[in-house]
Amino acid sequence: MPVISNKGQIMPQSPIRKLVPFAEAAKERGIQIHHLNIGQPDIKTPQVALDAVKNNAIEVLAYSHSAGFASYRDKLASYYKKNGIDVSSEDVIVTTGGSEALLFAMGSITDPGDQVIIPEPFYANYNGFATASGVSVVPVISNLDSGFALPPIADFEKLITSKTKAIVICNPGNPTGYLYSEDEIKQLAVLVKKHDLFLIADEVYREFAYDGLKHHSVMTQRDIDAHTIMIDSVSKRYSMCGARIGCIVSRNKELISTAMKFAQARLSPPTFAQVASEAALETPESYFTDVIEDYVSRRNTLIAGLETIPGVKVAKPKGAFYCIAELPVENADAFAQWLLESFQLDGKTIMVAPAAGFYSSKGVGLNQVRIAYVLEENLLKEAVEILRAALKEYKE
Ligand SMILES: Cc1ncc(COP(=O)(O)O)c(C=O)c1O
């Protein structure tokens, strides 16, 4: 029997998707499932993006430039300028989702055996991207009691070794919903400069900042231009997850020319999806005002509901559309599976993402789940009641 690689064997399963077979079985039994497990917004994609594809007369669906359409990169640079991020189109490579941008970033700055430090809980696929690159994730723990604020800089410094290549942050955070303050971004800037590290900032949820708070991009810290790599995506911004378009942005020319070699190896990002993404930049501001209003209202409904369930603890998210909830169970993994296999309330149940997979420290987050509030409010209210009833019935 030919042997699978060690890397392949240790490649983690996605905690967001691993319960899918149980959900499919539940659906076959006629159970309706409220999906709180996945960040697939139910928000409509902007019409202008859909129309651009519909009305396109392309006759040969050709490769594009490996860095993406020149016209799209120009418009992206303008979009960033509008958001206070002064970059030119040469600082941008269009990728197949933010996922590929993360892979290009890791591929460009790490060698097998290197380390990246990431505040945990973090977007679970960082584990997968790190494993694929032969890199170890070194977690620095943030906690629910502080709302998952940036851990003290001294905690990062304790973990820095000659193998450390980068600090990775997600802002606003998936799965925490935490939005870093300007002061926290400045502290990180000082840290990466002092230790000559890269700072990879995943800013795919940039627009989703609530309660009048402002998003602070790492790209505004001009004294660390050589260190900063920004990851971006159209997936959540325009509810275009299936387009598979993102980008990697950096003012570090050597980094971009290195990432460009990875981009050339995969030839080009998808052509039709770039047409849609370029057009999406014309989305009227009112779209975001409405969407953000929706998310704030959903968040408020969800958090208020969760707070009334005995034993449930939750930090109010300030951005993105996720929260981490601590449940009165020992093993949220088993509970999440039980919800799909053995529980229903009036023919309905919920699917949540066990949070342990969002940590790389073993044994942490075992009693937590990630909940995405990407459903309408009446469904979220129902989901809270299902969770309340399930926790009453559940025997560990
Ligand atoms: C924090 C974060 N980064 C990156 C991604 C990858 O997004 P995509 O590859 O769809 O652009 C996601 C998707 O959920 C995410 O939540």
Side-chain angles (χ1 to χ4, degrees), residues 30-108:
I31 309 283
Q32 190 191 330
I33 299 176
H34 294 327
H35 283 273
L36 307 172
N37 59 306
I38 193 159
Q40 169 59 62
D42 63 346
I43 305 283
K44 201 175 165 309
T45 303
Q47 197 58 40
V48 65
L50 300 172
D51 286 348
V53 175
K54 240 187 265 164
N55 303 334
N56 200 291
I58 289 178
E59 289 188 350
V60 177
L61 203 48
Y63 291 124
S64 71
H65 191 288
S66 294
F69 293 168
S71 53
Y72 180 37
R73 290 165 69 214
D74 281 343
K75 286 183 198 163
L76 273 173
S78 305
Y79 156 82
Y80 288 125
K81 282 202 183 96
K82 232 173 42 197
N83 281 273
I85 300 168
D86 190 8
V87 289
S88 76
S89 57
E90 283 98 71
D91 304 327
V92 180
I93 296 176
V94 178
T95 54
T96 308
S99 304
E100 192 181 60
L102 283 156
L103 275 169
F104 287 0
M106 295 242 187
S108 301

Side-chain angles (χ1 to χ4, degrees), residues 60-252:
V60 177
L61 203 48
Y63 291 124
S64 71
H65 191 288
S66 294
F69 293 168
S71 53
Y72 180 37
R73 290 165 69 214
D74 281 343
K75 286 183 198 163
L76 273 173
S78 305
Y79 156 82
Y80 288 125
K81 282 202 183 96
K82 232 173 42 197
N83 281 273
I85 300 168
D86 190 8
V87 289
S88 76
S89 57
E90 283 98 71
D91 304 327
V92 180
I93 296 176
V94 178
T95 54
T96 308
S99 304
E100 192 181 60
L102 283 156
L103 275 169
F104 287 0
M106 295 242 187
S108 301
I109 65 168
T110 62
D111 288 308
D114 282 344
Q115 300 173 341
V116 293
I117 300 177
I118 315 184
E120 65 178 357
F122 53 77
Y123 174 51
N125 285 331
Y126 295 161
N127 272 326
F129 301 136
T131 304
S133 307
V135 172
S136 318
V137 170
V138 177
V140 52
I141 200 148
S142 70
N143 58 62
L144 196 146
D145 290 329
S146 70
F148 300 103
L150 187 74
I153 291 297
D155 291 4
F156 285 89
E157 290 200 302
K158 274 187 231 152
L159 300 170
I160 294 173
T161 70
S162 58
K163 292 279 183 198
T164 310
K165 281 295 171 71
I167 311 281
V168 182
I169 59 162
C170 183
N171 184 32
N174 171 9
T176 61
Y178 189 74
L179 183 71
Y180 289 113
S181 67
E182 189 171 16
D183 180 59
E184 286 172 316
I185 296 296
K186 286 198 157 117
Q187 289 181 47
L188 285 167
V190 172
L191 177 73
V192 296
K193 195 159 188 187
K194 178 173 165 195
H195 296 277
D196 210 10
L197 303 173
F198 284 98
L199 178 57
I200 302 177
D202 182 336
E203 301 187 359
V204 306
Y205 295 96
R206 174 179 309 108
E207 272 77 8
F208 305 101
Y210 310 137
D211 307 327
L213 294 169
K214 194 173 161 338
H215 175 259
H216 297 283
S217 172
V218 295
M219 300 298 287
T220 57
Q221 302 300 308
R222 294 308 305 262
D223 56 336
I224 54 162
D225 276 359
H227 304 254
T228 41
I229 304 172
M230 181 173 77
I231 305 298
D232 213 344
S233 169
V234 303
S235 291
K236 317 291 161 151
R237 180 166 309 135
Y238 306 112
S239 198
M240 281 173 57
C241 296
R244 310 308 307 129
I245 291 288
C247 61
I248 178 169
V249 184
S250 179
R251 296 191 191 90
N252 178 329

